[in-house]
Amino acid sequence: MQKGLIFIYLIFPIIFSCNIENTSYEDILNNQIRTGGFNGNVIVIENGKTVLKRAHGISNIHKGDSLVTNSVFRLGSVSKQFTAMAITILKDKGKLSYDQDVKEFIPNFPYNGVTIKHLLHHTSGLPDYLNLMVEHWKTEYKEDEPLRYISGNEDIIQKIIEKKPEILFRPGEKWEYSNTGYVLLATIAERVSGKSFDKFLNEMIFSPLGMTNTSVYNFKKEEDPDMPMRVFGFKETPNGRVSNDVHFLNFAKGDGGIYSTLDDLLSWHRSLRDNKLISKATLKEIFTEGKLNNGEHIDYGLGWFIGEEKNNHKVVYHGGGWVGFGTYIYRDVTNDSVFIILTNNSSWDDVKALVEEFKELISS
């Protein structure tokens, strides 16, 4: 497994500046295509109006198909906001509370004092499952062999119960990004609702919002007639383009696993703007900074990073990725502005460069 896989789930820090005076979003994108080789889809909404919507590059190196604006990309950790929404929907229905212990839902869970809120805020102290599974899951097989594929979250949870890796810190003591936490949240949502995670999200979020091209995808290595617009990940190497789409953990859900499009994610943004799914009080909780045990605030709400940009604009955002996919959604809530970036060519420099320059422009 590549060392970068844990990193690519995280929001990436970006520490450089640029001069954007008299520059348009189209100019920025064209420059990144020219200098960085950007391959993906982009949409920018500013003050409620579409100012850029574009697809550039290929969707499948084996066929050479071009991307179109309704191509379906793997979201990586941008999926986490949907997992958090699933939990808040159950909370609104009185099916669970944030303060409940994980052991109430997973009795053999080997750690004490970890609550749903800890999982949502990444303050649980739970070690990431990625390295655990790489080291202990069917290592006699190669990573891309179907015999090594996990069947889903239960395989991860059982391995955690079996191996009980050391907890990193006492729950609530620190903040550390945890994919494990969101896998557990998806499993909790299944056990509370009595439905599979994909069915629950489809019934409670995707279908009501008209997100017809969004799903918790049941991964297939080959082309899938049920998802004809699906995009495949790849990467550039000295020997040409090679596939970067298959991983034995592709069936994990909650921390990733969702596929979607620009238009569906725009519908998602508007549903949050118009508060279509949950109570107003619960929506406010999603975009409120969490706290540590000592009262210190963290810059993460429920499935979203929380920030405040120049001119006191309220913003929320998240990046994500897995195998060849790099994604980002940034919402300037104050101005009803959003940009979404979806890529499939393993190029993090392209995503980071666009994010930084778009941020400067959208909040100016």
Side-chain angles (χ1 to χ4, degrees), residues 161-193:
I161 291 170
E162 175 192 339
K163 296 296 182 180
K164 194 180 178 181
E166 184 177 355
I167 200 162
L168 303 177
F169 51 81
R170 185 167 60 91
E173 188 176 83
K174 299 179 182 179
W175 184 91
E176 184 161 331
Y177 195 88
S178 173
N179 294 305
T180 305
Y182 274 73
V183 165
L184 293 170
L185 288 169
T187 299
I188 289 170
E190 288 185 329
R191 295 188 179 187
V192 171
S193 68

Coordinates of all heavy atoms in Angstrom, one line a residue, residues 161-193:
I161 N -11.5 -5.7 16.6 CA -11.8 -6.4 17.8 C -10.8 -7.5 18.0 O -10.3 -7.7 19.2 CB -13.2 -7.0 17.6 CG1 -14.3 -5.9 17.7 CG2 -13.5 -8.0 18.8 CD1 -15.7 -6.4 17.3
E162 N -10.3 -8.2 17.0 CA -9.3 -9.2 17.1 C -8.0 -8.7 17.6 O -7.3 -9.2 18.5 CB -9.2 -10.0 15.8 CG -8.1 -11.0 15.8 CD -7.8 -11.6 14.4 OE1 -8.7 -11.4 13.5 OE2 -6.7 -12.1 14.2
K163 N -7.5 -7.7 16.9 CA -6.1 -7.2 17.1 C -6.0 -6.1 18.2 O -5.0 -5.9 18.8 CB -5.5 -6.6 15.8 CG -5.4 -7.7 14.7 CD -4.4 -8.8 15.1 CE -4.2 -9.8 14.0 NZ -3.2 -10.8 14.4
K164 N -7.1 -5.4 18.4 CA -7.2 -4.3 19.4 C -5.9 -3.4 19.4 O -5.2 -3.4 20.4 CB -7.4 -4.9 20.8 CG -7.8 -3.8 21.8 CD -8.0 -4.4 23.2 CE -8.3 -3.3 24.2 NZ -8.5 -3.8 25.6
P165 N -5.7 -2.7 18.3 CA -4.5 -1.8 18.3 C -4.6 -0.8 19.3 O -5.7 -0.3 19.7 CB -4.6 -1.2 16.8 CG -6.0 -1.4 16.4 CD -6.5 -2.7 17.1
E166 N -3.5 -0.3 19.8 CA -3.4 0.6 20.9 C -4.1 1.9 20.6 O -3.9 2.5 19.5 CB -2.0 0.9 21.3 CG -1.8 1.8 22.6 CD -0.4 1.9 23.0 OE1 0.5 1.3 22.3 OE2 -0.1 2.7 23.9
I167 N -5.0 2.4 21.5 CA -5.6 3.7 21.3 C -4.6 4.8 21.4 O -3.6 4.7 22.1 CB -6.8 3.9 22.3 CG1 -7.7 5.0 21.8 CG2 -6.2 4.2 23.7 CD1 -9.1 4.9 22.5
L168 N -4.8 5.9 20.6 CA -3.8 6.9 20.5 C -3.8 7.9 21.6 O -2.8 8.4 22.0 CB -4.0 7.7 19.2 CG -3.9 6.8 17.9 CD1 -4.2 7.7 16.7 CD2 -2.6 6.1 17.8
F169 N -5.0 8.2 22.2 CA -5.2 9.1 23.3 C -6.5 8.9 23.9 O -7.4 8.2 23.3 CB -4.9 10.5 22.9 CG -5.7 11.0 21.7 CD1 -7.1 11.4 21.8 CD2 -5.1 11.0 20.4 CE1 -7.8 11.7 20.7 CE2 -5.9 11.4 19.3 CZ -7.2 11.8 19.4
R170 N -6.7 9.4 25.1 CA -8.0 9.3 25.7 C -9.1 10.0 24.9 O -8.9 11.2 24.5 CB -7.9 9.9 27.1 CG -9.2 9.7 28.0 CD -8.9 10.0 29.4 NE -8.4 11.4 29.6 CZ -9.2 12.4 29.9 NH1 -10.5 12.2 30.0 NH2 -8.6 13.6 30.0
P171 N -10.3 9.4 24.7 CA -11.3 10.1 23.9 C -11.6 11.5 24.3 O -11.8 11.8 25.5 CB -12.5 9.2 24.1 CG -11.9 7.8 24.3 CD -10.7 8.1 25.2
G172 N -11.6 12.4 23.4 CA -11.9 13.8 23.7 C -10.7 14.6 24.0 O -10.8 15.9 24.2
E173 N -9.5 14.0 24.2 CA -8.3 14.7 24.7 C -7.6 15.5 23.5 O -7.1 16.6 23.8 CB -7.3 13.7 25.2 CG -6.1 14.3 25.9 CD -5.3 13.2 26.6 OE1 -4.4 12.7 25.9 OE2 -5.4 13.0 27.8
K174 N -7.7 14.9 22.3 CA -7.0 15.6 21.2 C -7.9 15.4 19.9 O -8.9 14.8 20.0 CB -5.7 14.9 20.9 CG -4.7 15.0 22.0 CD -3.4 14.3 21.6 CE -2.3 14.4 22.7 NZ -1.1 13.6 22.4
W175 N -7.5 16.1 18.8 CA -8.1 15.9 17.5 C -7.1 15.2 16.6 O -6.0 15.6 16.5 CB -8.5 17.2 16.9 CG -9.2 17.1 15.6 CD1 -10.5 17.0 15.4 CD2 -8.6 17.0 14.3 NE1 -10.9 16.9 14.1 CE2 -9.7 16.9 13.4 CE3 -7.3 17.0 13.8 CZ2 -9.5 16.8 12.0 CZ3 -7.1 16.9 12.4 CH2 -8.2 16.8 11.5
E176 N -7.5 14.1 16.0 CA -6.7 13.4 15.0 C -7.7 12.7 14.0 O -8.5 11.9 14.4 CB -5.7 12.4 15.6 CG -4.8 11.8 14.5 CD -3.6 11.2 15.1 OE1 -3.1 11.7 16.2 OE2 -3.1 10.2 14.5
Y177 N -7.5 13.1 12.8 CA -8.4 12.6 11.7 C -8.4 11.1 11.7 O -7.4 10.4 11.8 CB -7.8 13.1 10.4 CG -8.8 13.0 9.2 CD1 -9.7 14.0 8.9 CD2 -8.7 11.8 8.4 CE1 -10.5 13.9 7.8 CE2 -9.6 11.7 7.3 CZ -10.5 12.7 7.0 OH -11.3 12.6 5.9
S178 N -9.6 10.5 11.7 CA -9.8 9.1 11.8 C -10.8 8.5 10.8 O -12.0 8.7 10.9 CB -10.2 8.7 13.2 OG -10.5 7.3 13.3
N179 N -10.3 7.7 9.8 CA -11.2 7.0 8.9 C -11.9 5.9 9.7 O -13.1 5.6 9.4 CB -10.4 6.4 7.8 CG -9.7 7.5 6.9 OD1 -10.4 8.3 6.4 ND2 -8.4 7.4 6.7
T180 N -11.3 5.4 10.7 CA -11.9 4.3 11.5 C -13.3 4.8 12.1 O -14.3 4.1 12.1 CB -11.0 3.9 12.6 OG1 -9.8 3.5 12.1 CG2 -11.6 2.7 13.4
G181 N -13.3 6.0 12.6 CA -14.4 6.6 13.2 C -15.6 6.6 12.3 O -16.8 6.3 12.7
Y182 N -15.4 7.0 11.0 CA -16.5 7.1 10.1 C -16.9 5.7 9.5 O -18.1 5.6 9.1 CB -16.2 8.1 9.0 CG -16.5 9.5 9.4 CD1 -15.8 10.2 10.4 CD2 -17.7 10.1 9.0 CE1 -16.1 11.4 10.9 CE2 -18.0 11.4 9.4 CZ -17.2 12.0 10.4 OH -17.6 13.3 10.8
V183 N -16.1 4.7 9.5 CA -16.5 3.4 9.2 C -17.5 2.9 10.3 O -18.5 2.3 10.1 CB -15.3 2.4 9.1 CG1 -15.7 1.0 9.2 CG2 -14.5 2.7 7.8
L184 N -17.1 3.2 11.6 CA -18.0 2.8 12.7 C -19.3 3.5 12.6 O -20.4 2.9 12.9 CB -17.3 3.1 14.0 CG -16.0 2.3 14.3 CD1 -15.3 2.8 15.5 CD2 -16.4 0.8 14.6
L185 N -19.3 4.8 12.2 CA -20.6 5.6 12.1 C -21.5 4.9 11.1 O -22.7 4.9 11.3 CB -20.3 7.0 11.8 CG -19.7 7.9 12.9 CD1 -19.2 9.2 12.4 CD2 -20.7 8.1 14.0
A186 N -20.9 4.5 10.0 CA -21.8 3.9 8.9 C -22.4 2.6 9.5 O -23.6 2.3 9.2 CB -20.9 3.6 7.7
T187 N -21.6 1.8 10.2 CA -22.1 0.6 10.8 C -23.2 0.9 11.8 O -24.2 0.1 11.9 CB -20.9 -0.2 11.4 OG1 -20.0 -0.5 10.3 CG2 -21.4 -1.5 12.0
I188 N -23.0 1.9 12.6 CA -24.0 2.3 13.6 C -25.3 2.7 12.9 O -26.4 2.3 13.3 CB -23.5 3.4 14.5 CG1 -22.4 2.9 15.5 CG2 -24.6 4.0 15.3 CD1 -21.6 3.9 16.2
A189 N -25.2 3.4 11.8 CA -26.4 3.8 11.1 C -27.1 2.6 10.6 O -28.3 2.6 10.6 CB -26.0 4.8 9.9
E190 N -26.4 1.6 10.1 CA -27.0 0.4 9.6 C -27.7 -0.4 10.7 O -28.9 -0.8 10.6 CB -25.9 -0.6 9.0 CG -25.4 -0.1 7.7 CD -24.5 -1.1 7.0 OE1 -23.8 -1.8 7.8 OE2 -24.4 -1.2 5.8
R191 N -27.1 -0.5 11.9 CA -27.6 -1.3 13.0 C -28.8 -0.6 13.6 O -29.8 -1.2 14.0 CB -26.6 -1.6 14.0 CG -25.5 -2.5 13.4 CD -24.5 -2.9 14.5 NE -23.5 -3.8 13.9 CZ -22.5 -4.5 14.5 NH1 -22.5 -4.4 15.9 NH2 -21.7 -5.2 13.9
V192 N -28.8 0.8 13.6 CA -29.9 1.5 14.2 C -31.1 1.5 13.3 O -32.3 1.4 13.7 CB -29.5 2.9 14.6 CG1 -30.7 3.8 14.9 CG2 -28.5 2.9 15.7
S193 N -30.8 1.7 12.0 CA -31.9 1.8 11.0 C -32.5 0.5 10.5 O -33.6 0.4 10.0 CB -31.4 2.6 9.8 OG -30.5 1.8 9.0

